[in-house]
Amino acid sequence: MRTIFWEDCIKMIDQTLLPETFKILEIRSVDELIEAIKRLAIRGAPALEAAGGYGVVLATREKKFEDFEEFKDYVKERANQLANARPTAVNLGVGVERVLKKVFEASSIEEARKKALEEAEKIAEEDIIRNKLMGGFGAKLIEDGDSILTICNTGSLATVEWGTALGVIKSAKLEGKNVRVFACETRPLNQGSRLTTWELLRDGIDVILITDSMAGIVMQKEMVDKVIVGADRIVRDGFFNKIGTYTLAVLAKEHGIPFFVAAPLTTFDWEKKMEDVVIEERSADELKYCHVKCRSCIIAPENVKVYNPAFDPTPFKYVTALITEKGVIFPPYEREVPKILKLRK
Ligand code: MRU
């Protein structure tokens, strides 16, 4: 399943409507794309990388220009707005920067438009390839009969086509291993219950939905063999992923369950530490209403104070290994990660 692609405009699955409705959105301006990113119509770090790349292509085409310098100034400003649509996943900015660089290397508006689209397509294609590679490396860590707990959605919908943590699970299944997945619902926006269960059922993978607060009991009852999650940003001392990931990591350590993080090398931001990263805080409405868009089905007093961070940091001491498209990295990460990052283009 292809989540995002280019066909004279950006076409993407509207993830806010799933699992009820499967609809392809057509995005024709940077403003529309920023709005789609903010309301999570497109989400997941690698999918955002592709969206960032295609978004710069839109920026090169949404207005007429005679002067090349004015054109470049405009594209740069739009790219900057796009890169800041969400702060935590490093990949959005990576995709934007890659295509913007091609615009600045060009010597005419026409060439810039052409080069931008070529680079954005390359980002999308590379994502598909590296996810499959990651899946192959990760699948070796999975044994036949394993029960795997995961959070959020890290499958096709979070990437261009295959997936990171769910990609590993799908690859293991392709290798003929029987796997069962516990999918945390992932409050408040339910990427786990709405998207992950939908994807796994389509792929014929055994999935059991639990609330985030049930993770403890399934580990205590020895129903989980491994935890595999994705990442939005991996820094020198830990990684960021969907809120609730840290809780799972601490629980896994307490219960002696291996805890793996699957992410491409573009998710590594090795110059930074956990304290440097901005954690996105989202609207209080996400906790107060079942239907955020229409503010209906109230589930909390309307005047209650709310704290709603979308991601949490997990220190490396909880991580058994990092699964990447260049191989599996085991601790000490301080020594081993730079060796793998050298292989990054
Ligand atoms: O807020 P979201 O839905 O964009 O959060 C996504 C996640 O946290 C994923 O786990 C992460 O991007 C890794 S996905 C391949």
Side-chain angles (χ1 to χ4, degrees):
M1 180 174 59
R2 180 96 185 212
T3 300
I4 177 167
F5 56 98
W6 179 267
E7 224 174 56
D8 294 327
C9 65
I10 302 177
K11 294 198 175 171
M12 55 166 78
I13 300 170
D14 186 343
Q15 303 192 28
T16 63
L17 303 179
L18 287 169
E20 272 177 299
T21 308
F22 183 92
K23 185 183 163 198
I24 302 287
L25 274 177
E26 295 189 359
I27 303 283
R28 297 180 188 279
S29 72
V30 174
D31 285 342
E32 277 173 41
L33 180 59
I34 290 175
E35 194 262 342
I37 291 173
K38 284 185 191 282
R39 67 183 181 86
L40 310 196
I42 180 108
R43 36 126 329 258
L48 290 174
E49 188 173 323
Y54 285 132
V56 178
V57 178
L58 286 178
T60 64
R61 290 164 188 234
E62 64 184 1
K63 238 177 126 180
K64 281 207 169 103
F65 282 94
E66 301 294 329
D67 184 89
F68 189 39
E69 294 309 311
E70 274 178 32
F71 164 84
K72 282 193 284 187
D73 287 348
Y74 177 81
V75 175
K76 193 172 178 188
E77 193 192 319
R78 299 299 269 158
N80 196 29
Q81 290 163 350
L82 184 55
N84 288 309
R86 293 188 77 193
T88 309
V90 69
N91 306 60
L92 174 60
V94 168
V96 167
E97 275 308 313
R98 240 181 97 168
V99 177
L100 189 63
K101 190 164 171 266
K102 293 291 165 189
V103 170
F104 275 74
E105 280 169 12
S107 43
S108 69
I109 295 177
E110 202 183 325
E111 190 194 337
R113 287 184 175 141
K114 184 170 168 283
K115 288 259 156 68
L117 180 56
E118 280 169 8
E119 191 68 4
E121 294 281 37
K122 227 166 129 192
I123 293 174
E125 291 308 319
E126 281 174 17
D127 186 64
I128 298 171
I129 296 165
R130 72 193 180 197
N131 280 194
K132 296 249 171 88
L133 291 168
M134 197 188 307
F137 286 119
K140 304 275 171 289
L141 301 165
I142 296 178
E143 281 161 60
D144 189 33
D146 269 355
S147 284
I148 299 159
L149 186 137
T150 193
I151 189 166
C152 198
N153 171 268
T154 58
S156 301
L157 292 165
T159 60
V160 176
E161 198 178 87
W162 189 247
T164 57
L166 280 198
V168 167
I169 293 168
K170 281 154 69 172
S171 295
K173 169 88 179 171
L174 264 186
E175 286 182 9
K177 290 173 183 164
N178 231 330
V179 284
R180 178 168 75 161
V181 177
F182 283 98
C184 292
E185 63 173 348
T186 320
R187 281 281 293 147
L189 290 179
N190 295 88
Q191 292 95 326
S193 55
R194 290 187 305 105
L195 309 177
T196 295
T197 59
W198 179 79
E199 261 197 71
L200 292 176
L201 288 173
R202 279 179 105 229
D203 292 333
I205 295 176
D206 188 11
V207 56
I208 299 170
L209 174 64
I210 57 170
T211 68
D212 302 350
S213 52
M214 292 169 192
I217 193 164
V218 291
M219 291 193 201
Q220 204 173 44
K221 283 179 171 274
E222 299 182 1
M223 294 160 85
V224 174
D225 300 297
K226 272 147 202 145
V227 178
I228 310 184
V229 300
D232 290 87
R233 193 184 292 247
I234 301 176
V235 293
R236 288 184 98 88
D237 48 355
F239 76 101
F240 289 78
N241 192 48
K242 179 56 53 190
I243 192 74
T245 301
Y246 172 59
T247 317
L248 298 181
V250 175
L251 275 169
K253 195 169 182 84
E254 172 67 21
H255 292 279
I257 298 169
F259 182 96
F260 299 108
V261 180
L265 295 185
T266 50
T267 301
F268 287 72
D269 190 10
W270 209 241
E271 300 304 310
K272 293 211 172 75
K273 293 190 137 195
M274 289 193 287
E275 62 191 25
D276 304 322
V277 178
V278 176
I279 296 181
E280 176 182 1
E281 278 190 42
R282 296 187 59 86
S283 157
D285 288 355
E286 292 179 358
L287 270 75
K288 294 200 281 186
Y289 305 96
C290 284
H291 303 291
V292 184
K293 261 183 288 180
C294 50
R295 290 177 137 225
S296 67
C297 180
I298 300 173
I299 49 171
E302 281 183 286
N303 59 349
V304 71
K305 284 192 239 165
V306 165
Y307 174 51
N308 183 19
F311 301 94
D312 55 24
T314 299
F316 276 143
K317 67 176 179 180
Y318 296 107
V319 178
T320 310
L322 302 166
I323 304 164
T324 75
E325 71 271 34
K326 297 287 182 194
V328 178
I329 312 174
F330 290 94
Y333 299 119
E334 187 75 12
R335 191 187 73 199
E336 296 302 315
V337 169
K339 288 187 198 165
I340 295 273
L341 289 183
K342 280 203 189 116
L343 306 173
R344 191 158 62 173
K345 272 195 239 161

